[in-house]
């Protein structure tokens, strides 16, 4: 007499490929980015880059024959509309993966929502270090560094190139990023160069059109260094007015986000100031600029937009590379035509991938380990804006606290030897 198998036994007896997800007609993803408002200076370039990445991959046949379709969600519409659209794209439109967001506040809102919806979410651009230091997520990953690695690279570069400075002032936008980034930078300075005196802390209103008051105070205080982690129009206006008033002749400016302003600032950013790129992001990347894929994308992007790529483009490239690599890994590891959600999440754990910069990997807490490029502004005449010289690329591994530790507590335990212990490569230009 033949033994009848239960349904569960039948399923267990099936080959692994039978447990795969159905191969979709298209891989639908949702991406939040600023299409309107001040932060569109980052958001629109990232969208334009994503369009190029998707078109190129789809022309090659997609992922295992599946093309990619992207729905963009405007972060500039406000938190309530953003949350509603995120939910709609993930649930109603059936996006398999979401990419969110630029704003750190939006990331903090959408990370728990993605967890509740059980939709994989790649935090493609936001900088807050709090996401994985204060919470643990199964569905949320960050394919880039964070504010801690970005600020520590700026501190390290400053200490290597201007070791004898004695005074510093800060001019940051008055909101979470401006306050938090200064807290990290200042805490690191106190740990690594405790004799430095902070002579001024200025937090003008976000979107301020005039910085004459702050510049006048700085001219009276004459700090050796002026730090500003501001971005977009605020940074552009501050640097232009500081340049016109001669402040940049008497103080060294440290501008960790200024890579994204180089083209807009033109000749207003003189030689000799410290510029950061929120990762190893630079259109003349010294390690990548001669690679055919890098050069090819730079040409495509310039032809499509008329501009040079800024750091948000590089961040978009990393998110896209992580997405593509994870799907390909899940397919190969499981011998399937298309992975299910658990197989995709397993592939994302510890994933190694490469966008337009160096190779990155995801730690066990889902935080990305990203190298950081810093340089000094130079007006060479080759471009109608400043480029970078004395470039240093810091390995990202040493710029993050160990898993389970908070950035502030970890940084307080560092000392002057930290900078010398960092892995770094130096390039003339």
């Amino acid at each position: 007499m033949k033994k009848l198998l239960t349904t569960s036994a039948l399923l267990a007896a099936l080959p692994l490929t039978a447990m795969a997800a159905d191969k979709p007609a298209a891989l639908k993803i949702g991406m939040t980015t600023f299409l309107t408002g001040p932060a569109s200076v980052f958001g629109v370039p990232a969208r334009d880059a994503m369009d190029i990445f998707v078109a190129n991959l789809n022309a090659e046949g997609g992922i295992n024959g599946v093309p990619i379709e992207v729905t963009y969600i405007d972060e500039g519409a406000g938190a309530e509309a953003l949350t509603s659209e995120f939910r709609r794209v993930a649930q109603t439109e059936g996006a398999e993966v979401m990419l969110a967001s630029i704003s750190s506040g939006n990331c903090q809102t959408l990370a728990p929502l993605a967890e509740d919806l059980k939709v994989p979410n790649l935090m493609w651009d936001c900088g807050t270090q709090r996401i994985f230091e204060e919470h643990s997520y199964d569905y949320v990953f960050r394919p880039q560094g964070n504010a801690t690695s970005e600020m520590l690279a700026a501190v390290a570069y400053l200490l290597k190139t201007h070791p004898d400075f004695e005074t510093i002032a800060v001019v940051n936008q008055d909101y979470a990023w401006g306050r938090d980034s200064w807290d990290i930078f200042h805490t690191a300075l106190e740990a690594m160069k405790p004799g430095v005196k902070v002579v001024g802390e200025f937090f003008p209103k976000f979107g301020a059109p005039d910085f004459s008051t702050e510049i006048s105070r700085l001219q009276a205080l004459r700090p050796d260094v002026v730090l500003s982690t501001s971005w977009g129009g605020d940074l552009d206006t501050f640097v232009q007015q500081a340049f016109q008033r001669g402040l940049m002749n008497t103080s060294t400016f440290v501008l960790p986000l200024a890579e994204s302003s180089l083209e807009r600032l033109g000749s207003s950013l003189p030689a000799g100031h410290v510029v950061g790129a929120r990762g190893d992001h630079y259109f003349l990347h010294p390690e990548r600029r001669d690679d055919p894929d890098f050069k090819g994308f730079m040409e495509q992007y310039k032809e499509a937009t008329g501009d040079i790529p800024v750091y948000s483009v590089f961040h978009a490239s990393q998110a896209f590379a992580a997405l593509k690599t994870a799907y390909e890994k899940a397919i190969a590891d499981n011998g399937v035509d298309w992975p299910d959600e658990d197989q995709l999440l397993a592939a994302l754990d510890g994933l190694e991938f490469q966008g337009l910069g160096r190779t990155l990997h995801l730690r066990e807490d889902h935080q990305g380990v990203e190298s950081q490029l810093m340089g000094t502004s130079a007006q060479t005449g080759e471009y109608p804006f400043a480029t970078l010289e004395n470039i240093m690329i810091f390995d990202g591994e040493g710029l993050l606290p160990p898993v389970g530790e908070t950035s502030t507590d970890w940084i307080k335990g560092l000392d002057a030897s930290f900078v010398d212990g960092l892995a770094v490569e130096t390039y003339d230009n």
Side-chain angles (χ1 to χ4, degrees), residues 107-255:
C107 274
Q108 289 176 305
T109 298
L110 296 178
L113 177 58
E115 199 78 0
D116 290 342
L117 298 177
K118 299 188 183 303
V119 58
N121 181 40
L122 304 184
M123 297 192 304
W124 70 273
D125 189 67
C126 60
T128 178
Q129 77 283 4
R130 300 173 185 269
I131 297 289
F132 297 123
E133 291 184 359
E134 298 179 0
H135 306 279
S136 177
Y137 295 103
D138 294 325
Y139 287 83
V140 181
F141 303 80
R142 176 160 30 205
Q144 57 159 40
N146 62 28
T148 300
S149 54
E150 294 161 11
M151 292 303 107
L152 285 184
V155 171
Y157 186 88
L158 176 62
L159 293 176
K160 282 180 172 289
T161 57
H162 298 79
D164 299 325
F165 78 98
E166 297 179 351
T167 57
I168 188 171
V170 60
V171 181
N172 274 4
Q173 295 152 315
D174 190 11
Y175 79 115
W177 166 254
R179 299 279 180 173
D180 290 350
S181 58
W182 169 235
D183 182 53
I184 294 170
F185 194 101
H186 187 207
T187 301
L189 268 188
E190 287 184 320
M192 299 176 207
K193 192 174 172 65
V196 173
K197 184 179 180 181
V198 178
V199 297
E201 295 178 275
F202 305 99
F203 294 91
K205 182 180 177 181
F206 184 87
D210 181 66
F211 294 88
S212 57
T213 299
E214 290 80 9
I215 292 170
S216 294
R217 292 285 306 279
L218 290 169
Q219 287 178 317
L221 293 168
R222 298 181 66 84
D224 297 326
V225 172
V226 174
L227 169 73
S228 181
T229 68
S230 297
W231 52 266
D234 288 21
L235 177 63
D236 297 350
T237 301
F238 174 55
V239 171
Q240 288 163 350
Q241 293 178 4
F243 173 69
Q244 292 165 0
R245 297 274 298 275
L247 181 61
M248 303 189 85
N249 297 326
T250 57
S251 297
T252 297
F253 276 51
V254 176
L255 308 170

